[in-house]
C-alpha cells in the first residue's frame, strides 16, 4: 500500500488562522486504497502475516477470518495515531516537555548507542531510515530487514522512548 497511499493530513475542523479553536480537532487522512475494494467480495485471510496484529486479533475475537483485524490495524490506523501524536507533541512543547525515540535493535542487529543527551539521539534517529542513531547499527538493521523480507518473514525490535521536561516530585 505504500505505493498507493500518500499519508497527507487535512485539518477539517477545530483550527482557525494557525490556532486551535477549543473545538475538537478534526483531521482527515484519505485512504486511496479503499476505492480499489468497492463492490468486490473480499477473500478471507486465514494465514496471519508475521509481525502484524492478524493472529493476535483473530485469536482474541475468535475469528476464522483475520480480515477485520488487518483492516482495523492497518497503516491508516497508524497514520491517524501519528497525526494525534504530532498534535500532542506540539501541545507538550508549549509546556517545555519534549519526547522522542530511537531504535536500538531490530532482530539480532543491535546498535551501539552513543553516549549523548536524548535530544541529540532523537535528532540522529530522525536522519535514519530505521530511526537508529548509530550508522553501523542502522546498516546491520537494514541487512536484517532485507534478509527477513527475502525469507517472507518479519522481525521484532527494541525502541527506546523518552521524555524530558516533565514535572516530577511536585507534591505528594
Amino acid at each position: 500500500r505504500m505505493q498507493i497511499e500518500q499519508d497527507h493530513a487535512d485539518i477539517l475542523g477545530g483550527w482557525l488562522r494557525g490556532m486551535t479553536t477549543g473545538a475538537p480537532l478534526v483531521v482527515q487522512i484519505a485512504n486511496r486504497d479503499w476505492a480499489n475494494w468497492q463492490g468486490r467480495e473480499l477473500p478471507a485471510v486465514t494465514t496471519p502475516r508475521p509481525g502484524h496484529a492478524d493472529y493476535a486479533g483473530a485469536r482474541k475475537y475468535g475469528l476464522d477470518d483475520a480480515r477485520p483485524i488487518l483492516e482495523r490495524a492497518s497503516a491508516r490506523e497508524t497514520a491517524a495515531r501519528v497525526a494525534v501524536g504530532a498534535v500532542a507533541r506540539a501541545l507538550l512543547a508549549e509546556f517545555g516537555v519534549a519526547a522522542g525515540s530511537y531504535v536500538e535493535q531490530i532482530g539480532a542487529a543491535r546498535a551501539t548507542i552513543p553516549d549523548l543527551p536524548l535530544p541529540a539521539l532523537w535528532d540522529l534517529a530522525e536522519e535514519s531510515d530505521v530511526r537508529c542513531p548509530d550508522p553501523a547499527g542502522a546498516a546491520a538493521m537494514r541487512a536484517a530487514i532485507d534478509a527477513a523480507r527475502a525469507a517472507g518473514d518479519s522481525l521484532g525490535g527494541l525502541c527506546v522512548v523518552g521524555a524530558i521536561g516533565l514535572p516530577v516530585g511536585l507534591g505528594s
Side-chain angles (χ1 to χ4, degrees), residues 45-100:
V45 175
T46 57
T47 304
R49 301 166 298 165
H52 289 266
D54 306 356
Y55 179 73
R59 287 285 306 219
K60 178 178 181 179
Y61 295 109
L63 302 175
D64 294 327
D65 178 7
R67 181 162 301 281
I69 304 303
L70 78 93
E71 292 299 335
R72 165 61 178 79
S74 71
R76 303 297 85 224
E77 170 71 12
T78 303
R81 291 174 187 266
V82 169
V84 170
V87 172
R89 176 178 278 183
L91 176 64
L92 289 171
E94 293 294 319
F95 298 96
V97 176

Side-chain angles (χ1 to χ4, degrees), residues 101-114 121 124-125 127-150 153-160:
S101 64
Y102 61 86
V103 174
E104 187 170 309
Q105 182 175 350
I106 296 178
R110 189 174 196 101
T112 301
I113 304 301
L121 293 172
L124 289 170
E127 297 171 12
S128 169
D129 59 345
V130 290
R131 295 201 50 78
C132 178
D134 168 30
M141 291 175 190
R142 283 190 289 278
I145 292 167
D146 290 343
R149 183 182 298 125
D153 204 354
S154 64
L155 301 168
L158 173 65
C159 298
V160 177

Side-chain angles (χ1 to χ4, degrees), residues 98-101 118 122 160-164:
S101 64
L118 282 176
W122 300 337
V160 177
V161 179
I164 56 174

